[in-house]
Amino acid sequence: MSNSTGSSAFGQTLQFITSTKLQELEKQRLGYQEHAKVLQKADACGDNLVEKAELLLESVKSWPGSGSVDDRDSVSGKLNLANLRLWLPQAKQDPNFDRDILRSWIDTLEAHIRHSLMRFDGAKLFDSNSDKTDGGVEKAGRQEMHDQLARLDSIIFEDAGVNIEALESYLHDLFSTEEATKAIRDLRASMKSLEDSLKKETFTTRKVEVIVQGVLASDLMDESKRKTLNEILSNPTVLEELASVLTMRMASLDAWSWPAEGITVEMRRHLSGKYRAFTDPDIIDALLLHHLGISWQVKLKAAFLRILDSKAWTRPRPVENYKKISQQLSNPGQCSIDTLRQQQQRVFFLNQLSSSKRFSNQPTYDENRLDAVSTDNHQNPVAIKQKLLQIMATEALLNTTLHGSHAVVRSDLDWSGPSLPHQSILTVLEFFGVSKEWISFFRRFLRAPLRFKSDLPGQVRTRIRGTPFSYPLSSVCGEVILFVMDFAVNQKANGLFLYRLHDDLWLWDADPEKCVAGWKEMNVYANLVGLKFNASKTGSTCVGPAKPAELPEGDIRWGFLYFDPSKTRFVIDQEQVDTHIIELRRQLSATKSVFGWVNAYNKYMGFFVRNFGGRPAPCFGNAHLTDIISTLARIKQELFPNIQRGAVAYLRSVVETRFGIKDLPQGYFHLPISRGGLELRHPMIEMFALTQSFDDEEGQSFEALAKQDKQKYKDLKDYWDDPRTTFLGKESSFMSLDEFISLRESWLSEWRHRYEYMMTIKGLALVHETPVVASYLSQARTKCTWSELDWYEKWLVSLYGEEVVKRFGSWEVVDASLIPVGMVQLFRTSRMKLDQ
């Protein structure tokens, strides 16, 4: 199957549609400029207001193109043309007719013509930009790419020298308890069951559709192959052929191998400055490997979850005197912080492995993705990372309040994907029961023949270390290795949970010594499997007591944040922000079009907000929200040091210089593309709408709740001791205050509710509709109601609607039928590549 034919046809079709629209747009724009000369003729009518009104009415009615109106329509929502035709004879014959009414008709008609001219000018921007949608990237390679390519080259072709006997001995010792031995026996049975089912697998068209959608959700394929895959989804015949081919490939899997000529490696840059090596596989191989990877992910995750739920996994000791406490507090203790912690830990446990073949977790977490999206969906990689920060920040406040201390360790594995030794992967897989047949397949998958652009012609080298990037099977290999680390920390650090998003590792506890034990075991295991921790991303801190010497040096950092123990909260690192302001300035200067500039600006500003932790929950504190707003303001000021009103003023000057369009209102630049605007995002708006949510910060703190516990205890005790009340077990005395306080994390629901409150991102302040705004929406060509707008659009139309309508006559700036929205939207949502 040709990978380029379909995608080329798709691109040509879209280009043809765009070209046709633009030709029609220019034809109508020039035609309307000629048509609008009626304004000059109307001026020549002097004081003959009736003649002027008749001339303008005829002009408005006779225009057949975009923005045409007929007798049933109203101009500017206030002048019906059919009514006007009835009234003009009266105005012409009645000597007492009010000339002010005539003047208002003339003003309305003239404004309509001028607004139409303005809308055509606005649409012209699409014509001038549609063939230059560059995405705001600099095409020249960078020295960093060559340096990191050299580093990659030095890793993946070098043997790690793993001591297999020592690793096998460690695994046997770690899983040597009775419960762990039973868990491993069950795991091995699951592996055999998976292998048996894969041998008999056949593919249906529906299954192929799911696989194609999974590959499209990953970063694996280049744009041309992504377009081909999208076309495959709409072609039943091709889906049937693919199902047949994949069934045959699966039946002969023992003969599968990478192409002998090797697979090409492409370096793609992320905003962190780090490049990653992507391969560009054949579509059939990509589909087969994706399906196998997801199949192994689902089975392994289910099996490892059973270990998490088994007695082999160390958990907090259950509360003593369960029956007595449940009677005296009149609740079974199921709504506690501890039960919530267990639920949260399941979210982060092997998070990179998919739980369902229908929904894969690809692409993997990466806070440095430029086009990552932040949502409230906790399955979204960015949202999951933000949730982790919220939990850590909440735990810091809770532990400091209840125990007077909070220790945290954060680390990251250095080049974990490229540096994973194949011997370690295969040894752990074999220990978990993977058969020799499948060990052989994993070995062939890992030992990929690679071609780098810098290699000599025909030179192919076989990697002996690391996993191919962005394949589900690679996630299987990495998570299998790191599951052992999860289990080891749990066993050696008295039940401590290793919060992990692949190789991003977090430990915390009120007891610093548990973090010491966990960190020690992480180092023991990493040394055995041939992994190293990234010193620049490793750090630890303690709130309260002095930090133990055994914990690693360095700050707790993520994105542009570092944890300040003196404030018990995350703080923005302004030096990192400065570095990325320079980078953003560089990217913006490399753009070739207005849309390219806006696209780069929007994505980079979203990247800033995500790396500030996103929309802050109460655990970050009002001070953090204030920091975000002031930092965003500073970014804008430093990007445009000599321009007031920042990005809007810059774009306004560019539009005036390039297209001769002056004095565009601010709302035009923020309007969605679908309504003819430039869709420049305003990242501070949502933050402003959150400020009211932090009004009662002190009253909602853990400290405030702790102060209420004495009264809560007294009320419960008095109720228990009241001779008028009857309870089971009332013959025993009510628990002591110390015993009651000890249940804050393990039983008391009020503490659970406060814990959840600290992590809950507040809703945005309501924007209320006004009659004027309702009229803007109803009079637009693409009519909509207030309820159909999202929160951001409601803010825009309420704040900027008046000035936009005043300039363009409508909230819809450009007739959507005439602008190449499809091309612009495709460009706007495509994968953004930086400095290839």
Side-chain angles (χ1 to χ4, degrees), residues 68-84:
S68 61
V69 293
D70 58 31
D71 282 347
R72 294 168 297 176
D73 296 323
S74 295
V75 175
S76 301
K78 55 186 178 183
L79 183 60
N80 181 272
L81 298 188
N83 290 343
L84 181 57

Side-chain angles (χ1 to χ4, degrees), residues 521-556:
E521 195 61 26
M522 289 165 66
N523 279 274
V524 169
Y525 180 66
N527 289 332
L528 277 173
V529 294
L531 292 173
K532 295 180 180 179
F533 295 107
N534 185 340
S536 67
K537 291 188 176 182
T538 298
S540 64
T541 193
C542 278
V543 181
K547 184 175 78 173
E550 298 92 333
L551 293 182
E553 294 298 319
D555 296 325
I556 299 296

Side-chain angles (χ1 to χ4, degrees), residues 433-675:
V434 177
S435 68
K436 293 188 181 299
E437 178 184 353
W438 277 93
I439 290 292
S440 174
F441 168 78
F442 274 102
R443 183 180 288 110
R444 295 196 302 275
F445 168 73
L446 292 169
R447 291 177 62 83
L450 304 178
R451 293 196 317 267
F452 289 86
K453 292 181 179 179
S454 57
D455 288 343
L456 296 172
Q459 182 181 8
V460 177
R461 293 180 288 169
T462 300
R463 75 183 305 160
I464 59 175
R465 195 172 176 183
T467 57
F469 191 73
S470 204
Y471 289 83
L473 274 171
S474 298
S475 295
V476 168
C477 295
E479 291 298 294
V480 161
I481 288 287
L482 293 176
F483 165 75
V484 179
M485 183 182 286
D486 297 338
F487 189 74
V489 168
N490 173 263
Q491 299 295 294
K492 303 296 183 180
N494 192 26
L496 189 63
F497 187 81
L498 175 59
Y499 283 86
R500 183 172 61 77
L501 290 175
H502 187 43
D503 60 353
D504 188 4
L505 315 165
W506 295 73
L507 294 173
W508 59 72
D509 198 82
D511 181 2
E513 292 305 317
K514 290 178 71 173
C515 291
V516 169
W519 175 243
K520 178 182 178 182
E521 195 61 26
M522 289 165 66
N523 279 274
V524 169
Y525 180 66
N527 289 332
L528 277 173
V529 294
L531 292 173
K532 295 180 180 179
F533 295 107
N534 185 340
S536 67
K537 291 188 176 182
T538 298
S540 64
T541 193
C542 278
V543 181
K547 184 175 78 173
E550 298 92 333
L551 293 182
E553 294 298 319
D555 296 325
I556 299 296
R557 291 182 173 274
W558 177 83
F560 299 153
L561 304 177
Y562 69 91
F563 187 78
D564 186 340
S566 68
K567 299 178 179 178
T568 321
R569 70 175 181 88
F570 284 102
V571 175
I572 296 174
D573 184 341
Q574 298 295 338
E575 289 186 5
Q576 284 200 53
V577 173
D578 290 340
T579 300
H580 283 271
I581 290 174
I582 295 170
E583 175 63 24
L584 174 54
R585 192 179 292 126
R586 172 178 177 149
Q587 294 295 338
L588 292 176
S589 67
T591 60
K592 301 171 185 173
S593 69
V594 171
F595 284 123
W597 193 98
V598 171
N599 194 44
Y601 179 87
N602 285 348
K603 290 182 175 180
Y604 221 115
M605 295 305 287
F607 170 77
F608 274 120
V609 172
R610 288 193 304 276
N611 280 274
F612 296 156
R615 280 165 49 188
C619 57
F620 282 89
N622 186 51
H624 183 66
L625 177 60
T626 302
D627 286 350
I628 292 176
I629 293 173
S630 62
T631 302
L632 289 172
R634 183 173 75 84
I635 291 168
K636 290 186 173 187
Q637 290 169 356
E638 297 199 12
L639 278 175
F640 312 100
N642 301 316
I643 303 176
Q644 290 186 349
R645 299 182 70 183
V648 168
Y650 170 79
L651 287 173
R652 186 181 283 126
S653 67
V654 170
V655 170
E656 181 175 347
T657 301
R658 294 186 187 177
F659 312 112
I661 305 173
K662 298 182 179 181
D663 301 325
L664 285 169
Q666 181 166 348
Y668 165 79
F669 299 93
H670 297 302
L671 266 180
I673 289 174
S674 60
R675 294 190 180 277

Side-chain angles (χ1 to χ4, degrees), residues 15 27 44 69 134 199 244 266 270 305 353 378 396 463 499 523-524 549 688 693-694 706 754 763 790 798-799 812 823:
Q15 187 63 48
K27 177 182 174 182
V69 293
D134 51 273
K199 285 180 182 177
S244 175
E266 176 192 8
H270 288 241
L305 277 169
L353 298 186
H378 289 166
R463 75 183 305 160
Y499 283 86
N523 279 274
V524 169
F688 290 134
S693 302
F694 288 80
R754 185 60 52 88
D790 63 25
S798 299
L799 186 61
E812 190 174 61
M823 177 69 84

Side-chain angles (χ1 to χ4, degrees), residues 315-381:
R315 288 178 180 76
R317 285 186 301 174
V319 175
E320 297 178 1
N321 300 320
Y322 175 87
K323 183 177 179 181
K324 172 188 170 183
I325 294 170
S326 61
Q327 289 173 343
Q328 294 187 353
L329 298 183
S330 301
N331 77 70
Q334 296 303 305
C335 184
S336 68
I337 290 176
D338 280 346
T339 56
L340 178 60
R341 282 171 175 155
Q342 292 178 27
Q343 295 165 15
Q344 290 172 162
Q345 288 167 5
R346 291 181 75 85
V347 172
F348 292 94
F349 183 70
L350 301 174
N351 181 266
Q352 299 301 292
L353 298 186
S354 181
S355 301
S356 165
K357 291 184 180 181
R358 180 65 184 86
F359 299 103
S360 118
N361 281 0
Q362 303 292 325
T364 56
Y365 144 73
D366 184 356
E367 75 267 26
N368 295 310
R369 279 178 58 89
L370 190 60
D371 54 355
V373 177
S374 178
T375 72
D376 293 331
N377 176 9
H378 289 166
Q379 293 305 309
N380 173 279

Side-chain angles (χ1 to χ4, degrees), residues 57-335:
L57 171 62
E58 184 59 31
S59 173
V60 169
K61 282 196 59 191
S62 63
W63 171 249
S66 172
S68 61
V69 293
D70 58 31
D71 282 347
R72 294 168 297 176
D73 296 323
S74 295
V75 175
S76 301
K78 55 186 178 183
L79 183 60
N80 181 272
L81 298 188
N83 290 343
L84 181 57
R85 289 174 65 85
L86 291 174
W87 296 332
L88 277 175
Q90 178 185 351
K92 194 171 186 178
Q93 299 295 327
D94 184 353
N96 296 320
F97 194 86
D98 192 338
R99 291 174 63 83
D100 287 340
I101 294 177
L102 270 169
R103 290 190 185 94
S104 71
W105 294 344
I106 292 167
D107 290 344
T108 299
L109 294 170
E110 287 182 337
H112 172 79
I113 294 171
R114 291 193 176 93
H115 289 152
S116 297
L117 276 172
M118 195 67 199
R119 285 197 291 272
F120 275 113
D121 282 342
K124 177 65 176 174
L125 264 67
F126 288 84
D127 186 5
S128 303
N129 279 285
S130 62
D131 61 342
K132 300 176 183 178
T133 48
D134 51 273
V137 301
E138 192 175 355
K139 300 297 182 184
R142 287 188 174 183
Q143 184 60 42
E144 300 100 298
M145 182 186 73
H146 302 294
D147 293 342
Q148 291 181 35
L149 181 57
R151 175 79 191 280
L152 180 70
D153 192 288
S154 71
I155 294 174
I156 64 177
F157 300 117
E158 274 191 14
D159 191 348
V162 173
N163 186 332
I164 300 300
E165 290 184 5
L167 177 56
E168 289 176 338
S169 176
Y170 179 87
L171 293 171
H172 284 289
D173 289 344
L174 182 63
F175 293 93
S176 61
T177 66
E178 181 180 351
E179 293 296 339
T181 301
K182 180 179 182 300
I184 288 297
R185 187 166 57 247
D186 293 343
L187 172 62
R188 290 168 178 167
S190 295
M191 295 303 95
K192 186 176 186 309
S193 171
L194 172 63
E195 293 177 5
D196 290 344
S197 65
L198 288 174
K199 285 180 182 177
K200 306 170 186 176
E201 181 133 34
T202 58
F203 290 80
T204 63
T205 56
R206 178 59 189 144
K207 188 178 290 185
V208 174
E209 285 180 359
V210 172
I211 297 169
V212 170
Q213 289 164 351
V215 173
L216 285 170
S218 75
D219 285 325
L220 185 61
M221 313 299 279
D222 65 19
E223 286 293 334
S224 64
K225 289 181 180 176
R226 292 175 66 81
K227 291 173 183 174
T228 300
L229 288 173
N230 274 307
E231 290 170 347
I232 286 173
L233 286 174
S234 61
N235 192 319
T237 302
V238 176
L239 286 171
E240 287 181 13
E241 292 295 328
L242 277 175
S244 175
V245 170
L246 289 170
T247 300
M248 290 188 289
R249 284 284 183 96
M250 184 66 82
S252 59
L253 194 63
D254 56 349
W256 178 87
S257 64
W258 293 106
E261 65 272 16
I263 48 179
T264 304
V265 176
E266 176 192 8
M267 300 299 287
R268 298 183 195 169
R269 183 180 183 273
H270 288 241
L271 289 183
S272 61
K274 186 173 183 178
Y275 286 79
R276 291 204 168 102
F278 285 79
T279 55
D280 188 23
D282 173 82
I283 283 181
I284 301 295
D285 276 344
L287 298 176
L288 177 67
L289 292 173
H290 180 86
H291 174 69
L292 290 173
I294 296 301
S295 298
W296 277 91
Q297 284 191 21
V298 171
K299 198 72 172 182
L300 276 168
K301 186 164 188 176
F304 288 147
L305 277 169
R306 286 194 290 272
I307 294 178
L308 176 70
D309 294 334
S310 74
K311 293 181 180 179
W313 197 270
T314 302
R315 288 178 180 76
R317 285 186 301 174
V319 175
E320 297 178 1
N321 300 320
Y322 175 87
K323 183 177 179 181
K324 172 188 170 183
I325 294 170
S326 61
Q327 289 173 343
Q328 294 187 353
L329 298 183
S330 301
N331 77 70
Q334 296 303 305
C335 184

Side-chain angles (χ1 to χ4, degrees), residues 709-724:
D709 277 347
K710 277 191 178 182
Q711 185 61 48
K712 177 71 175 177
Y713 170 78
K714 183 180 182 302
D715 292 343
L716 288 169
K717 186 177 185 303
D718 289 347
Y719 191 60
W720 178 268
D721 293 339
D722 189 333
R724 294 170 296 178

